[in-house]
Amino acid sequence: MPERPYTLLSCAVSIDGYLDDASETRLMLSNQADLDRVDAVRADCDAILIGAATIRNDNPRLLVRAQERRDARLAAGLPASPTKVTLTEHGKLDAGSHFFAADETEKLVYCPSDIVPEARDRLGSVATVVDGGPRVGMGRLSEDLHSRGVGRLMVEGGGTVLTQFLTEDLADELHLVVAPLFVGDSRARRFVDDGRFPFRPDRRAALVDVRRIGDVVLHRYALSERCVD
Ligand SMILES: NC(=O)c1ccc[n+]([C@@H]2O[C@H](COP(=O)([O-])OP(=O)(O)OC[C@H]3O[C@@H](n4cnc5c(N)ncnc54)[C@H](OP(=O)(O)O)[C@@H]3O)[C@@H](O)[C@H]2O)c1
C-alpha cells in the first residue's frame, strides 16, 4: 500500500456553503481567534497545499505567523514555516506572488508533464517544479510529498482542490468553520464541486468535535481511521 501523509483539510464557509464571494477581493469568513487556531494547525504540519487559483485570487503568504510558534519549530530543527505546495494545470502563476517570496520555506509546484518546461522557465528560480505525470492526481502527489519527508499535510483550499482530496478519499480529517453570514451568489466559489463523495447516507463521516470560537463554529470530522480524537 503506497504511503501518503496524514492529510488534514481546512477551510471556512458561509452559512450557505461558500468559500468566498464573487468579488475580486477576498471575503473574510474567519475571525481573529480562529485565524490564530489555523496558525497553530499550520505550525504542526510539514507542508501546506493550496490550488493555483487561490494564489491568484488571495495572494496568501502561507506562513506561520506567531513568533513563538516559529521559534518552537526552529528549536525543533524545522524551518520556521512548513513547505508550501501548489498545483497548476496551465502553469500561469506569477513568480512575484507572496507564495513564492524569498522566505525560509521550500516551495513545490506540481504540474502535468507537458507544462513542466514552461513552468520551470516561469517559476524555476523561486520554486521546485515537479513533474506530476500526464495529469496531476492527488494520490500520486500525496505519495510524492511523502517521499519528500512530508508526514503531515494541511490542504487549505480552494474548492477544486478540496473536492479532489475528498472524492478520492485521500483525506484523514476535515476542519470546517462556519461563519455567520450568507453569500447568496451562485457565481461565488462553493466549498465543493459535484462529485461522488465517500461520505453519504450509508457511510457518514464521524464528527469528533464542535467548538464555538467567538462568532464562528469549528466542526472537526474524522474522515479515516487514522484520525484520532
Ligand atoms: N474560505 C476558505 O477557507 C478558502 C480557502 C482557500 C481558498 N478559498 C477561495 O477559494 C477560491 C479558489 O478556489 P477554486 O476552487 O476556484 O481554486 P483552487 O482549488 O484554489 O485552485 C484551482 C486551480 O488549481 C489547479 N489545479 C487543481 N486541480 C489540479 C489538478 N488535478 N492538476 C493540475 N492543476 C490543478 C488549477 O490551476 P491552473 O488554473 O493554474 O491550471 C486550478 O484552476 C478563491 O476565491 C479563494 O478565496 C477560500
Side-chain angles (χ1 to χ4, degrees):
M1 179 99 168
E3 289 199 87
R4 60 172 181 82
Y6 185 91
T7 302
L8 187 160
L9 313 184
S10 171
C11 66
V13 295
S14 60
I15 291 174
D16 51 346
Y18 287 96
L19 290 174
D20 196 2
D21 59 21
S23 74
E24 294 289 303
T25 52
R26 180 182 184 178
L27 174 68
M28 278 309 295
L29 288 156
S30 291
N31 56 37
Q32 285 308 316
D34 185 54
L35 290 173
D36 186 58
R37 176 196 62 81
V38 171
D39 196 56
V41 177
R42 276 185 184 173
D44 206 26
C45 290
D46 302 307
I48 308 172
L49 183 148
I50 55 171
T54 297
I55 296 180
R56 289 191 289 267
N57 292 353
D58 299 357
N59 197 17
R61 290 179 201 281
L62 227 62
L63 297 171
V64 172
R65 293 174 200 178
Q67 193 58 48
E68 66 273 18
R69 293 184 186 123
R70 298 169 63 82
D71 291 344
R73 286 181 57 95
L74 290 169
L78 300 168
S81 277
T83 296
K84 302 184 201 175
V85 185
T86 191
L87 65 168
T88 174
E89 207 181 327
H90 304 99
K92 304 275 186 280
L93 280 165
D94 180 357
S97 309
H98 291 325
F99 181 95
F100 296 112
D103 48 39
E104 70 285 347
T105 64
E106 186 182 1
K107 289 114 189 155
L108 301 173
V109 178
Y110 287 82
C111 64
S113 306
D114 58 341
I115 297 297
V116 168
E118 182 190 330
R120 288 209 174 121
D121 275 354
R122 195 185 281 257
L123 303 168
S125 61
V126 292
T128 302
V129 174
V130 184
D131 186 337
R135 184 193 168 276
V136 183
M138 299 311 105
R140 181 170 166 171
L141 177 148
S142 299
E143 288 165 30
D144 188 77
L145 285 174
H146 191 271
S147 75
R148 292 170 190 272
V150 174
R152 195 173 170 88
L153 171 68
M154 181 177 186
V155 180
E156 290 204 36
T160 310
V161 168
L162 293 167
T163 300
Q164 291 171 80
F165 275 92
L166 286 164
T167 54
E168 294 176 33
D169 208 358
L170 291 168
D172 298 294
E173 187 172 338
L174 170 65
H175 292 184
L176 181 72
V177 162
V178 179
L181 56 98
F182 290 81
V183 169
D185 183 347
S186 60
R187 294 168 305 166
R189 190 67 186 81
R190 277 201 180 276
F191 170 27
V192 288
D193 296 315
D194 293 353
R196 185 170 169 81
F197 293 86
F199 303 100
R200 305 170 71 88
D202 57 347
R203 184 190 170 203
R204 291 158 72 103
L207 178 66
V208 289
D209 193 22
V210 177
R211 198 183 338 151
R212 177 181 175 156
I213 305 172
D215 65 351
V216 305
V217 180
L218 166 68
H219 302 79
R220 196 158 76 82
Y221 294 96
L223 304 182
S224 86
E225 289 175 357
R226 295 210 283 182
C227 178
V228 285
D229 292 6

